[in-house]
Amino acid sequence: MANDELLIKDEVWLRITQLEYKMKQGMSKEAFEKEVRRIYIEEMGEELPADMKVYSSNESGDLESDYDGTAIYFENEEKSINQLYVISQGSNDPGDWLYNAIGLFQGKDASQAIDVDTFVDEAKKEFNISDKEMLTVGLGHSLANNNNLTAQVLNQSFNKIYGVNGAQINAYQLYTADEFFARKVNNQFDLPLKDKNAIYTLPPHELEQFAVEYIEEKIDTSSIRQL
């Protein structure tokens, strides 16, 4: 198998992404793992060929935002399976909707996207795994897609990202979170350094195009699949 993606089939990762919302509602790790294995059998026609461990953001003490997510680690040394899937959760409570308004729409908060990378690092420590030959995949719906994509630009957190009905990267939010991008924007458009709101005076289509070019330089966009 040579570490081929276990959850690459759309029906599999979509169903597991939907299932993750139940973790916020109190589903146990044991029940979650049982459902993941059931989904895999139903869609793939065979048992999941790996041991599985689960880590929830509910267990974290280091996240500074309302970010929610679940990490799944698949391992089978004999079959060279070494894969970490991080399912970032979409909008699910009032805190998320407030973040949507301030972060996604106004571009003034990227704390959940920053916490994606924190959670990925935490999961690796929890599972006692290193990056050596490990595949790390981000899954997400809605707000979660924005968080995963933005985290990818900021920290290259994933090897691949899959998203469904996803909010896209916000250039204003990227300006808030990425100091290097902010400097490039300031230089390109000759913005005053001390005026954080000057970016809102730029023609949106020009800023968007500049952001797209920057993103394509930072990450491999072919590794992103969106439905």
Side-chain angles (χ1 to χ4, degrees):
M1 180 170 287
N3 213 30
D4 292 338
E5 291 176 63
L6 290 176
L7 309 187
I8 193 171
K9 186 178 180 181
D10 287 344
E11 289 81 359
V12 176
W13 70 261
L14 285 169
R15 290 182 65 184
I16 293 175
T17 298
Q18 182 180 31
L19 173 69
E20 195 279 332
Y21 280 95
K22 293 186 178 180
M23 293 292 283
K24 180 75 171 182
Q25 300 166 3
M27 176 179 260
S28 69
K29 290 183 181 181
E30 293 76 16
F32 182 79
E33 178 177 348
K34 184 177 180 180
E35 285 299 293
V36 168
R37 292 185 179 278
R38 181 180 66 82
I39 289 170
Y40 192 88
I41 290 176
E42 289 178 356
E43 298 295 346
M44 303 300 292
E46 61 183 21
E47 292 189 1
L48 183 70
D51 294 330
M52 178 178 167
K53 298 177 182 178
V54 179
Y55 178 66
S56 171
S57 59
N58 294 334
E59 302 172 77
S60 171
D62 294 331
L63 303 181
E64 298 182 358
S65 70
D66 288 328
Y67 171 84
D68 288 308
T70 299
I72 312 173
Y73 180 51
F74 298 111
E75 182 181 30
N76 185 323
E77 188 173 345
E78 183 178 326
K79 296 186 177 181
S80 300
I81 297 173
N82 183 28
Q83 303 175 15
L84 177 66
Y85 285 82
V86 174
I87 311 169
S88 294
Q89 193 173 112
S91 303
N92 200 36
D93 58 37
D96 290 331
W97 291 111
L98 179 61
Y99 180 80
N100 286 342
I102 298 175
L104 269 64
F105 300 132
Q106 296 182 34
K108 294 185 176 181
D109 186 0
S111 57
Q112 286 201 22
I114 292 170
D115 271 345
V116 170
D117 191 62
T118 301
F119 184 62
V120 170
D121 287 342
E122 278 191 348
K124 290 177 181 178
K125 293 177 183 177
E126 176 71 17
F127 301 137
N128 193 28
I129 53 181
S130 67
D131 289 333
K132 184 179 180 181
E133 297 181 2
M134 187 182 71
L135 178 71
T136 305
V137 181
L139 306 178
H141 158 254
S142 182
L143 163 65
N145 188 64
N146 167 272
N147 285 334
N148 288 348
L149 291 176
T150 304
Q152 185 72 346
V153 176
L154 294 176
N155 298 298
Q156 291 77 58
S157 304
F158 304 105
N159 297 113
K160 295 189 177 183
I161 293 176
Y162 299 128
V164 57
N165 294 339
Q168 301 303 302
I169 293 177
N170 181 310
Y172 301 99
Q173 188 182 35
L174 191 60
Y175 182 86
T176 296
D178 188 334
E179 293 182 3
F180 185 67
F181 176 65
R183 288 198 299 271
K184 289 179 74 73
V185 170
N186 291 341
N187 291 335
Q188 175 70 18
F189 297 100
D190 195 26
L191 298 182
L193 300 180
K194 294 183 179 181
D195 186 357
K196 299 299 182 181
N197 292 317
I199 189 175
Y200 296 102
T201 67
L202 299 178
H205 68 281
E206 291 186 20
L207 176 62
E208 179 180 348
Q209 183 57 43
F210 188 78
V212 167
E213 293 172 0
Y214 174 79
I215 290 167
E216 290 177 344
E217 291 176 359
K218 284 287 296 282
I219 64 174
D220 177 10
T221 55
S222 67
S223 65
I224 298 169
R225 172 167 170 72
Q226 303 193 71
L227 300 177

